[in-house]
Amino acid sequence: QVQLVESGGGLVQAGGSLRLSCASSVNISSPKAMAWHRQAPGKKRDLVALIRRGGGTDYADSVQGRFTISNDNVNNMLYLQMNSLKPEDTAIYYCLADYGVEGYWGQGTRVTVSS
């Protein structure tokens, strides 16, 4: 059973930074990819960033150049460094372990960016 626990969310002013963490109960180099998604109030959950097993990364256009996804395969941690935050980044951020045929989600961590 894969368990993912996110942390690091909070309230920050526009222009500020936060670093989200996701602790995995299993080896994070096993999934096809690890990813961060977010869901703003009243909206669907969208991909923010992902890192593939081989290390390649992808970002949503809206966060390109501001957010950086990284991992620590030794400690089974996934991170999302978020800089130059904007009010539209306000959402619950979820960690995903994507095994292809199935995926596992964390419970989410809330990020609120005030203007």
Side-chain angles (χ1 to χ4, degrees):
Q1 182 75 17
V2 179
Q3 293 185 328
L4 303 171
V5 179
E6 301 95 334
S7 61
L11 174 63
V12 63
Q13 288 188 329
S17 298
L18 283 175
R19 188 195 196 203
L20 305 184
S21 299
C22 172
S24 171
S25 63
V26 299
N27 188 339
I28 64 167
S29 63
S30 297
K32 175 182 174 183
M34 295 290 298
W36 289 97
H37 289 242
R38 69 185 179 187
Q39 187 166 17
K43 296 188 177 181
K44 65 180 180 67
R45 192 174 298 188
D46 288 326
L47 175 68
V48 175
L50 67 83
I51 184 164
R52 297 183 184 82
R53 186 184 298 146
T57 58
D58 280 329
Y59 295 90
D61 289 344
S62 59
V63 307
Q64 183 76 45
R66 300 188 297 122
F67 290 11
T68 303
I69 189 171
S70 62
N71 57 16
D72 176 353
N73 290 334
V74 174
N75 294 301
N76 295 323
M77 295 290 295
L78 181 72
Y79 301 104
L80 185 68
Q81 178 67 43
M82 307 187 296
N83 298 328
S84 302
L85 282 161
K86 304 176 181 180
E88 50 264 43
D89 294 318
T90 294
I92 298 175
Y93 285 70
Y94 297 91
C95 177
L96 168 68
D98 180 2
Y99 287 84
V101 294
E102 59 186 355
Y104 297 89
W105 295 92
Q107 84 291 344
T109 185
R110 185 179 299 273
V111 172
T112 303
V113 184
S114 63
S115 57

